[in-house]
Amino acid sequence: MNTIRKLIIFSFCILFMSINISCEDKEDMEDQVNCVKYKVHNNNPIAHMSIWDGGDTPVIAINDYETTFYTKSYSTELIVTCKEDKKATITIQLFVNNKFIREVSGTTPVELHYRLK
């Protein structure tokens, strides 16, 4: 009888600890801030690129563009178009917390989507 009681108490302790740990992970994930860096290159040095980062208006750039920002968001995306030269090759590189994550390349439009958390 005493061993069954100890086993039940031990089981409840393990269950409580696992629930507590999983809740802490979710809270840590929500508070996590990531440093996101995009590098964009266009092989046509005189063509304008429209760079959409989720805002209402695009950023206009020629040849190369780079941006860095900090976010608590769960995902990030960048869409780049080049209306002046539809055959121009656009390359997007993504770095998260100074680590290279992904590179996509192609003709307009080029999209990069990434889940941060």
Side-chain angles (χ1 to χ4, degrees), residues 38 51-59 65 67 69 77-79:
Y38 284 109
I51 302 167
W52 300 87
D53 61 358
D56 293 337
T57 57
V59 175
Y65 173 77
T67 185
F69 58 93
E77 70 177 346
L78 197 72
I79 302 170

CSV table of all heavy atoms in Angstrom, one decimal, residues 38 51-59 65 67 69 77-79:
chain,number,residue,atom,x,y,z
A,38,TYR,N,18.0,40.6,-44.4
A,38,TYR,CA,17.8,40.2,-45.8
A,38,TYR,C,18.8,40.9,-46.6
A,38,TYR,O,19.1,42.1,-46.4
A,38,TYR,CB,16.4,40.7,-46.3
A,38,TYR,CG,15.3,39.9,-45.8
A,38,TYR,CD1,14.4,40.4,-44.9
A,38,TYR,CD2,15.0,38.6,-46.4
A,38,TYR,CE1,13.3,39.6,-44.5
A,38,TYR,CE2,14.0,37.9,-46.0
A,38,TYR,CZ,13.1,38.4,-45.1
A,38,TYR,OH,12.0,37.6,-44.7
A,51,ILE,N,10.4,46.1,-53.3
A,51,ILE,CA,10.7,45.1,-52.2
A,51,ILE,C,9.5,45.2,-51.2
A,51,ILE,O,9.4,46.3,-50.5
A,51,ILE,CB,12.0,45.3,-51.6
A,51,ILE,CG1,13.1,45.2,-52.6
A,51,ILE,CG2,12.3,44.4,-50.4
A,51,ILE,CD1,14.5,45.7,-52.2
A,52,TRP,N,8.7,44.2,-51.1
A,52,TRP,CA,7.6,44.1,-50.2
A,52,TRP,C,7.9,43.3,-49.0
A,52,TRP,O,8.3,42.2,-49.1
A,52,TRP,CB,6.4,43.5,-50.9
A,52,TRP,CG,6.0,44.2,-52.2
A,52,TRP,CD1,6.5,44.1,-53.4
A,52,TRP,CD2,5.0,45.3,-52.2
A,52,TRP,NE1,5.8,44.9,-54.3
A,52,TRP,CE2,4.9,45.7,-53.6
A,52,TRP,CE3,4.2,45.9,-51.3
A,52,TRP,CZ2,4.1,46.7,-54.0
A,52,TRP,CZ3,3.3,46.9,-51.8
A,52,TRP,CH2,3.2,47.3,-53.1
A,53,ASP,N,7.9,44.0,-47.8
A,53,ASP,CA,8.2,43.3,-46.6
A,53,ASP,C,7.0,43.2,-45.7
A,53,ASP,O,7.1,43.0,-44.5
A,53,ASP,CB,9.3,44.0,-45.8
A,53,ASP,CG,9.0,45.5,-45.5
A,53,ASP,OD1,7.9,45.9,-45.8
A,53,ASP,OD2,9.8,46.1,-44.9
A,54,GLY,N,5.8,43.2,-46.2
A,54,GLY,CA,4.6,43.1,-45.4
A,54,GLY,C,3.9,44.4,-45.2
A,54,GLY,O,2.8,44.5,-44.7
A,55,GLY,N,4.6,45.5,-45.5
A,55,GLY,CA,4.0,46.9,-45.3
A,55,GLY,C,3.1,47.2,-46.5
A,55,GLY,O,2.9,46.5,-47.4
A,56,ASP,N,2.5,48.4,-46.4
A,56,ASP,CA,1.6,48.9,-47.4
A,56,ASP,C,2.3,49.4,-48.7
A,56,ASP,O,1.7,49.3,-49.8
A,56,ASP,CB,0.7,50.0,-46.8
A,56,ASP,CG,-0.2,49.6,-45.7
A,56,ASP,OD1,-0.5,48.4,-45.7
A,56,ASP,OD2,-0.6,50.4,-44.9
A,57,THR,N,3.5,49.9,-48.5
A,57,THR,CA,4.2,50.4,-49.7
A,57,THR,C,5.5,49.7,-49.8
A,57,THR,O,6.2,49.4,-48.8
A,57,THR,CB,4.4,51.9,-49.6
A,57,THR,OG1,5.1,52.2,-48.4
A,57,THR,CG2,3.1,52.7,-49.6
A,58,PRO,N,6.0,49.5,-51.0
A,58,PRO,CA,7.3,48.8,-51.2
A,58,PRO,C,8.4,49.7,-51.0
A,58,PRO,O,8.3,50.9,-51.2
A,58,PRO,CB,7.2,48.2,-52.6
A,58,PRO,CG,6.4,49.2,-53.3
A,58,PRO,CD,5.3,49.7,-52.3
A,59,VAL,N,9.6,49.2,-50.7
A,59,VAL,CA,10.8,49.9,-50.8
A,59,VAL,C,11.4,49.8,-52.2
A,59,VAL,O,11.3,48.7,-52.8
A,59,VAL,CB,11.9,49.3,-49.8
A,59,VAL,CG1,13.2,49.9,-49.9
A,59,VAL,CG2,11.3,49.4,-48.4
A,65,TYR,N,20.3,45.6,-52.1
A,65,TYR,CA,19.5,46.2,-51.0
A,65,TYR,C,19.8,45.3,-49.8
A,65,TYR,O,19.9,44.0,-49.9
A,65,TYR,CB,18.0,46.2,-51.3
A,65,TYR,CG,17.1,46.5,-50.2
A,65,TYR,CD1,17.0,47.8,-49.8
A,65,TYR,CD2,16.4,45.5,-49.5
A,65,TYR,CE1,16.1,48.2,-48.7
A,65,TYR,CE2,15.6,45.9,-48.4
A,65,TYR,CZ,15.4,47.2,-48.0
A,65,TYR,OH,14.6,47.5,-47.0
A,67,THR,N,18.7,45.0,-45.4
A,67,THR,CA,17.9,45.5,-44.3
A,67,THR,C,18.1,44.5,-43.1
A,67,THR,O,18.2,43.3,-43.3
A,67,THR,CB,16.4,45.7,-44.6
A,67,THR,OG1,15.8,46.3,-43.5
A,67,THR,CG2,15.7,44.4,-44.9
A,69,PHE,N,16.4,43.9,-39.1
A,69,PHE,CA,15.4,44.3,-38.1
A,69,PHE,C,15.3,43.2,-37.0
A,69,PHE,O,15.7,42.1,-37.2
A,69,PHE,CB,14.1,44.7,-38.7
A,69,PHE,CG,13.5,43.5,-39.5
A,69,PHE,CD1,12.6,42.6,-38.9
A,69,PHE,CD2,13.8,43.3,-40.8
A,69,PHE,CE1,12.0,41.6,-39.6
A,69,PHE,CE2,13.2,42.3,-41.5
A,69,PHE,CZ,12.4,41.4,-40.9
A,77,GLU,N,8.6,37.3,-44.2
A,77,GLU,CA,8.5,37.1,-45.7
A,77,GLU,C,9.0,38.3,-46.4
A,77,GLU,O,9.0,39.5,-45.9
A,77,GLU,CB,7.1,36.8,-46.1
A,77,GLU,CG,6.2,38.0,-46.0
A,77,GLU,CD,4.8,37.7,-46.5
A,77,GLU,OE1,4.6,36.7,-47.2
A,77,GLU,OE2,3.9,38.5,-46.2
A,78,LEU,N,9.5,38.1,-47.6
A,78,LEU,CA,10.0,39.2,-48.5
A,78,LEU,C,9.6,38.8,-49.9
A,78,LEU,O,9.8,37.7,-50.3
A,78,LEU,CB,11.5,39.4,-48.4
A,78,LEU,CG,12.0,40.7,-48.9
A,78,LEU,CD1,11.6,41.9,-47.9
A,78,LEU,CD2,13.5,40.7,-49.0
A,79,ILE,N,9.0,39.8,-50.6
A,79,ILE,CA,8.6,39.6,-52.0
A,79,ILE,C,9.3,40.7,-52.8
A,79,ILE,O,9.2,41.9,-52.5
A,79,ILE,CB,7.1,39.6,-52.2
A,79,ILE,CG1,6.4,38.5,-51.3
A,79,ILE,CG2,6.7,39.5,-53.7
A,79,ILE,CD1,4.9,38.6,-51.3
